[in-house]
Amino acid sequence: MARAPYVSFRVRAPDPGRRTTAQDIVDTVVDDVRSGRLPAGSRLPPVRVLEQQLGLSKNTVQSAYDELVARGLLEGREREGIFVAYASIDTDVSVPRVAEPPAFRARPAPPLHAGSFPHGVMSLSAVFVDPELLPRERLSECARAVLHARGLETFYDVHGYGPLREIIAERLRARGMRDVRAANVLLTTGSQQALDVLGRTLAEPRVAIESPVYPGAKLLFESHGHVVTGLRLDPFAGIPLDEWEARLSAARPALLYAVTSYQNPTGYSYTSHELERVLELAERLGFAVAEDDWGSDMLSGSEYRPMLRLLGGAHVLYVNSFTKKLLPSLRVGFLVAHESLIPALLAAKRLSTLGNAWFSEAIVAEFLARAYYDTHLQSLQRELDARYQSCLGILREQMPEGVRWTLPGGGPTLWLEVPRRVNLARLRADLAERRIEIEAAESAFTGEPHLHGFRVSYAFVPPDRLSRALATVGDLLREALS
Ligand SMILES: Cc1ncc(COP(=O)(O)O)c(C=O)c1O
């Protein structure tokens, strides 16, 4: 084992004229440890080195070190050397203090949900798929195969792992996007980085989004300094297209961001008529469209909806990700764009990350190449359909009058709309006491929320637990409404 490098170390003596003593060494080390100049874990020069540096006898240096070890400030580690003891941190050593507050001033943190929740708390609103439904074994098999076949790659490619881009392009062509080639596909760290890259690249900083919308998109565009225009989406009545037209005509955005299937957080899916009208508006008013298609792979087995990208061709930028379907921690997503945009998008991604983790991308490529993904999606869709039906049954049974919910037809989540009289913050707090979490949806809206409720995730919560949690929600709502 290579030894840790030792710190360079100058012994201070009160009288430079006289010879250094063991006490001088002790005093200097004590002083340096206390002041933080010698942090815990630093290796001190070996006795032999210090003895030569100071022109002292071996015994003098050794006795100083012995004394410091006895005081608990230093510790000897066999065959490694002598170190400032970690225990010294807990004694009377003061670490150099940073002025409060630090000179670095942070912008206010955007109110984005952390995506994780404390242990033992059940999240009713999580957008993830139940880990039990994820193909862990097959993913592990693919991870081993990647390492076995290729070993570790030395370089990264800002465009993303070539074989994965090839397979994604092939799959999209099979779904009707005939023009997509590997060169049009940019791999990203989840869809989030795809949105980030778009936000960084857009020349005119004006974006239109649905309201409510996935808050991570809204907050991201705002953090890039874009003017964000919200377009009201009513999941019970559909998209008020004339209202959208008026707002889009007035705001003149450069980009419309739309989640067309199982919209987050409402579960709404655009009708074909709405997709066509959006494209017609885009052409007439001259804005680009970014379609976030997190949902179409989770479509109910019996359903088909065209994607905007299919109807609008290369005018539509297309975003998708494996996060919610395969394994969240892989963080692999992608952006499909016209070839003229690729250099600018690559430059933005390079600035942001240089390149992404090759290993995750190679695992996904292997998973797709073995045709595991299709088998997995089929069983996922079947399970989501069954869970959706079961969730509807539970809601019909447990919810008091006046509570409504959207009917996504399948997919991962729906929206539960409660009467305005219910204080949502209070409901959240009461549920939190019972270790159930529902997400605060305020940051999903631009302006005053026109909906009053929260997302329910049957994809994440298994039916028996969902049933218990929704029974609790029902009880609390009855209480609030009585
Ligand atoms: C609609 C939508 N788009 C994008 C994202 C970001 O997902 P990813 O994990 O792929 O970055 C989310 C995450 O919840 C989402 O709901």
Side-chain angles (χ1 to χ4, degrees):
M1 189 175 65
R3 288 204 186 164
Y6 54 81
V7 291
S8 88
F9 175 68
R10 178 167 301 142
V11 176
R12 294 179 294 278
D15 175 3
R18 72 162 167 74
R19 219 177 141 78
T20 306
T21 64
Q23 192 58 46
D24 295 334
I25 300 176
V26 170
D27 290 345
T28 306
V29 171
V30 168
D31 198 42
D32 283 0
V33 171
R34 288 209 173 128
S35 68
R37 281 194 292 272
L38 271 180
S42 318
R43 182 176 164 218
L44 272 84
V47 173
R48 170 183 43 79
V49 172
L50 209 55
E51 156 203 331
Q52 273 171 15
Q53 239 174 38
L54 303 173
L56 296 174
S57 78
K58 185 174 168 205
N59 282 349
T60 312
V61 177
Q62 188 64 55
S63 66
Y65 277 9
D66 288 348
E67 161 85 28
L68 288 160
V69 170
R71 289 198 199 181
L73 237 63
L74 299 185
E75 63 188 12
R77 295 187 208 154
E78 210 174 331
R79 284 201 290 276
E80 286 186 55
I82 190 127
F83 293 80
V84 176
Y86 279 98
S88 68
I89 304 170
D90 304 325
T91 55
D92 57 350
V93 178
S94 60
V95 175
R97 292 199 67 77
V98 175
E100 297 275 355
F104 183 94
R105 268 191 277 286
R107 289 198 252 160
L112 185 61
H113 190 263
S116 58
F117 18 87
H119 187 68
V121 170
M122 191 214 328
S123 172
L124 252 188
S125 304
V127 281
F128 296 113
V129 165
D130 183 352
E132 290 299 318
L133 303 181
L134 301 179
R136 288 166 188 238
E137 266 312 307
R138 289 192 151 182
L139 279 169
S140 309
E141 185 189 316
C142 292
R144 284 192 297 273
V146 166
L147 277 182
H148 185 72
R150 305 186 58 109
L152 285 173
E153 201 89 344
T154 343
F155 293 102
Y156 47 77
D157 174 2
V158 67
H159 213 132
Y161 183 60
L164 180 56
R165 292 191 290 109
E166 289 286 352
I167 305 176
I168 289 173
E170 193 184 310
R171 292 176 65 85
L172 293 177
R173 283 198 299 274
R175 291 180 77 180
M177 302 180 197
R178 315 296 277 166
D179 56 319
V180 175
R181 298 283 171 274
N184 303 108
V185 180
L186 178 65
L187 298 184
T188 52
T189 306
S191 317
Q192 191 67 15
Q193 192 187 26
L195 305 184
D196 186 47
V197 165
L198 287 178
R200 287 163 183 272
T201 313
L202 196 62
E204 295 156 276
R206 295 186 309 280
V207 179
I209 57 174
E210 301 138 346
S211 174
V213 73
Y214 160 55
K218 173 175 155 263
L219 297 167
L220 178 74
F221 291 131
E222 285 172 353
S223 81
H224 280 306
H226 293 293
V227 176
V228 173
T229 302
L231 304 171
R232 196 172 59 89
L233 185 148
D234 180 349
F236 297 99
I239 293 175
L241 287 162
D242 293 339
E243 186 181 313
W244 277 34
E245 177 170 355
R247 285 191 60 81
L248 288 163
S249 305
R252 291 281 164 175
L255 179 74
L256 165 69
Y257 165 73
V259 187
T260 47
S261 252
Y262 299 134
Q263 200 258 4
N264 182 6
T266 60
Y268 185 76
S269 294
Y270 286 47
T271 62
S272 303
H273 171 65
E274 287 163 349
L275 294 177
E276 274 162 22
R277 221 13 230 290
V278 164
L279 288 173
E280 185 265 316
L281 287 173
E283 196 178 335
R284 184 147 51 85
L285 301 175
F287 57 83
V289 180
E291 177 179 39
D292 181 342
D293 184 27
W294 80 315
S296 74
D297 294 321
M298 292 184 274
L299 219 56
S300 163
S302 55
E303 210 177 341
Y304 172 75
R305 280 182 228 126
M307 291 151 274
L308 253 188
R309 173 64 173 76
L310 258 186
L311 303 175
H315 292 291
V316 177
L317 294 121
Y318 179 83
V319 175
N320 203 336
S321 150
F322 296 94
T323 301
K324 307 298 188 302
K325 280 94 61 172
L326 197 50
L327 187 69
S329 56
L330 286 173
R331 306 294 303 126
V332 179
F334 58 94
L335 168 62
V336 178
H338 188 263
E339 61 195 31
S340 61
L341 297 175
I342 293 293
L345 294 168
L346 284 179
K349 181 183 164 191
R350 187 180 281 117
L351 261 186
S352 157
T353 62
L354 301 181
N356 291 355
W358 157 86
F359 190 49
S360 281
E361 295 174 358
I363 294 172
V364 176
E366 188 70 24
F367 198 85
L368 295 179
R370 293 179 181 215
Y372 287 170
Y373 195 48
D374 291 319
T375 325
H376 165 63
L377 284 181
Q378 275 164 18
S379 66
L380 183 66
Q381 285 160 358
R382 268 198 306 277
E383 179 66 27
L384 291 182
D385 280 358
R387 287 185 175 207
Y388 169 63
Q389 291 301 337
S390 140
C391 178
L392 294 186
I394 300 167
L395 289 171
R396 280 194 294 265
E397 216 167 89
Q398 303 290 355
M399 289 304 126
E401 205 161 315
V403 175
R404 295 187 292 162
W405 47 90
T406 55
L407 298 170
T413 60
L414 56 72
W415 178 267
L416 193 76
E417 176 78 359
V418 303
R420 291 262 157 195
R421 302 207 310 281
V422 175
N423 179 333
L424 281 174
R426 173 81 196 277
L427 177 67
R428 251 194 317 277
D430 288 345
L431 285 167
E433 264 178 31
R434 292 159 178 81
R435 307 195 71 65
I436 298 169
E437 189 247 27
I438 54 171
E439 198 171 273
E442 285 81 0
S443 54
F445 292 84
T446 53
E448 266 306 295
H450 56 278
L451 298 173
H452 193 69
F454 54 92
R455 191 174 52 214
V456 171
S457 172
Y458 36 88
F460 186 66
V461 188
D464 52 335
R465 301 186 71 198
L466 188 69
S467 172
R468 285 200 295 278
L470 287 177
T472 308
V473 173
D475 288 344
L476 289 172
L477 286 175
R478 254 183 295 278
E479 212 177 294
L481 292 168
S482 66

